[in-house]
């Protein structure tokens, strides 16, 4: 009796019974151990949701935006507060809309919302309650959507718990008194507000440790919504806590609601090795998402950028081409990158006809 098969969603495409049979037939031509490994890898982490980053033309580059807070500061705002750029959701929402518009205008396909550091504690400092905080988070999606072109993607930013501590903990992974369950509870209100506001995808970003990665996987499985998860890293093999980057990627890659994983807000010279690890660890249908900073380091005590070797846009693009060659298919910039950086990426990967 022939086994029963049902269609499966893989990388935004339906894998038919015939496709499944063909894959099994091909596997039979190889050693049993190899075939078993292939089937396990295909099943592990396969998607249970639509992939918002899937492109009509396979292999196309998705250009992400650059440093939102960096550009908001360049437009004249002071954001030195525990809410960071999210403070402007209340004080000057127009500047957030303008920043998004500038990035879309420079060629970004994806805008990441101003909710990175939007947390209840920070809103309480400004006298807001839970309902008003939720409304502010939803406003971040609305502002990005207002600026977006018809085919623009809005990613709801879910910043690390460490960012709420306002001491640089998103670059250390030191979360005193927190465990996985507490982190799930802490992240849940913002995640739900972003989903209710109809963002296209969640951008779980600047994650410095395995503990928070596991918490996010638990929460994403609960809310059943597509997301990417990107880590802050201190070397080509370690996340900022010192734990294995490969292990962190494997944990999030196994989640059927994670459509991509990678690295953000990290020194760009570490990224090539990190991309290679991502591509060899993730299931084939999942994206490698990369948006490092300009190369400068943030001082959590003084709340300033340490002077150093900021990467010029031309050099950033040269490195980005290597990241693409190693498997990255979603590339943008993080802190201290600008619309000019994004335009350079767009011209390199998606030149106008």
């Amino acid at each position: 009796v022939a086994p029963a098969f049902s269609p499966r969603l893989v990388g935004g495409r339906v894998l038919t019974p015939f496709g499944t049979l063909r894959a099994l037939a091909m596997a039979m031509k190889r050693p049993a151990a190899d075939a078993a490994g292939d089937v396990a890898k295909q099943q592990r982490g396969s998607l249970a949701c639509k992939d918002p980053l899937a492109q009509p033309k396979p292999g196309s580059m998705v250009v992400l935006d650059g440093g939102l807070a960096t550009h908001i500061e360049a437009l004249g705002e002071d954001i030195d507060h525990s809410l960071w750029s999210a403070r402007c959701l209340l004080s000057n929402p127009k500047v957030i809309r303008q920043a998004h518009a500038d990035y879309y205008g420079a060629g970004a396909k994806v805008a990441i919302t101003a909710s990175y550091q939007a947390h209840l504690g920070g809103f309480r400092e400004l006298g807001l309650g839970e309902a008003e905080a939720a409304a502010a988070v939803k406003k971040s999606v609305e502002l990005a959507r207002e600026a977006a072109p018809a085919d623009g993607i809005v990613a709801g930013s879910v910043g690390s718990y460490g960012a709420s501590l306002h001491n640089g903990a998103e670059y250390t992974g030191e979360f005193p008194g927190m465990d996985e369950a507490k982190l799930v509870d802490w992240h849940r209100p913002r995640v739900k507000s972003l989903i209710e506001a109809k963002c296209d995808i969640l951008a779980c970003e600047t994650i410095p440790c395995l503990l928070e990665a596991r918490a996010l996987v638990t929460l994403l499985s609960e809310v059943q919504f597509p997301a990417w998860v990107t880590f802050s890293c201190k070397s080509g093999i370690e996340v900022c806590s010192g734990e294995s980057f490969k292990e962190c990627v494997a944990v999030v890659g196994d989640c059927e609601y994670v459509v991509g994983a990678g690295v953000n807000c990290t020194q760009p010279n570490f990224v090539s090795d990190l991309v290679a690890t991502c591509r060899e660890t993730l299931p084939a249908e999942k994206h490698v998402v990369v948006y490092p900073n300009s190369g400068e380091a943030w001082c959590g005590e003084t709340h300033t950028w340490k002077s150093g070797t900021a990467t010029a846009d031309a050099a950033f693009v040269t490195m980005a081409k290597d990241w693409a060659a190693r498997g990255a298919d979603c590339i943008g910039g993080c802190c201290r990158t600008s619309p000019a950086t994004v335009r350079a990426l767009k011209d390199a990967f998606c030149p106008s006809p």
Side-chain angles (χ1 to χ4, degrees):
V1 178
F5 294 94
S6 60
R8 293 176 55 247
L9 185 68
V10 177
R13 300 187 298 276
V14 173
L15 182 63
T16 66
F18 304 102
T20 304
L21 286 169
R22 183 175 183 273
L24 289 172
M26 292 295 290
M28 289 174 66
K29 296 181 180 180
R30 298 191 299 277
D34 291 348
D38 289 348
V39 172
K41 186 173 182 180
Q42 185 183 55
Q43 292 174 342
R44 187 182 71 246
S46 294
L47 296 179
C49 60
K50 179 182 177 181
D51 178 2
L53 300 177
Q55 297 299 296
K57 184 179 179 182
S60 298
M61 177 63 67
V62 178
V63 177
L64 311 177
D65 63 5
L68 181 63
T70 297
H71 192 45
I72 287 173
E73 286 183 310
L75 293 173
E77 287 295 312
D78 178 6
I79 57 174
D80 186 13
H81 184 270
S82 63
L83 287 172
W84 207 30
S85 57
R87 186 180 190 179
C88 296
L89 293 169
L90 305 172
S91 64
N92 189 1
K94 289 182 179 180
V95 76
I96 295 176
R97 186 189 303 111
Q98 182 62 56
H100 286 313
D102 289 347
Y103 276 119
Y104 278 126
K109 179 80 171 180
V110 181
I112 304 172
T113 62
S115 53
Y116 172 81
Q117 217 152 305
H119 59 99
L120 183 58
F123 286 118
R124 281 174 175 157
E125 291 177 26
L126 300 179
L128 274 66
E130 291 185 20
E132 294 167 305
V137 172
K138 293 176 182 179
K139 183 70 173 178
S140 73
V141 177
E142 295 168 11
L143 292 169
R145 189 71 71 193
E146 289 169 6
D151 62 346
I153 297 170
V154 174
S157 177
V158 181
S160 169
Y161 166 77
S164 72
L165 302 180
H166 205 42
N167 64 0
E170 66 270 43
Y171 305 114
T172 65
E174 296 177 4
F175 303 162
M178 298 299 284
D179 57 22
E180 183 178 322
K182 289 178 181 178
L183 285 170
V184 171
D185 291 342
W186 187 87
H187 278 293
R188 186 182 289 110
R190 175 175 48 182
V191 163
K192 286 192 170 183
S193 293
L194 291 168
I195 294 172
E196 289 170 4
K198 301 187 185 306
C199 67
D200 298 304
I201 186 171
L202 296 170
C204 304
E205 50 184 355
T206 326
I207 307 306
C209 59
L210 186 58
L211 174 67
E212 190 163 32
R214 293 189 188 280
L216 287 167
V217 164
T218 298
L219 182 55
L220 292 172
S221 298
E222 173 189 314
V223 299
Q224 300 183 1
F225 198 81
W228 78 61
V229 181
T230 50
F231 296 90
S232 59
C233 298
K234 68 176 185 178
S235 74
I237 59 172
E238 301 165 298
V239 296
C240 283
S241 65
E243 294 166 303
S244 164
F245 176 69
K246 183 178 180 68
E247 183 178 1
C248 289
V249 171
V251 165
V252 300
D254 277 352
C255 177
E256 59 188 356
Y257 297 98
V258 171
V259 304
V263 58
N264 79 289
C265 212
T266 293
Q267 291 274 357
N269 56 319
F270 296 150
V271 171
S272 289
D273 289 342
L274 295 166
V275 167
T277 298
C278 254
R279 187 64 283 159
E280 71 183 23
T281 306
L282 288 172
E285 69 268 22
K286 299 199 175 187
H287 304 277
V288 175
V289 184
V290 176
Y291 48 114
N293 60 31
S294 67
E296 294 173 272
W298 174 254
C299 178
E301 295 180 359
T302 63
H303 301 162
T304 59
W305 290 98
K306 297 177 183 178
S307 59
T309 56
T311 307
D313 290 340
F316 193 93
V317 169
T318 298
M319 289 189 289
K321 290 178 179 179
D322 182 58
W323 307 335
R326 292 171 182 250
D329 61 346
C330 301
I331 298 179
C334 200
C335 297
R336 307 294 274 185
T337 61
S338 70
T341 313
V342 170
R343 186 173 299 281
L345 289 170
K346 188 264 183 184
D347 289 344
F349 293 112
C350 313
S352 300

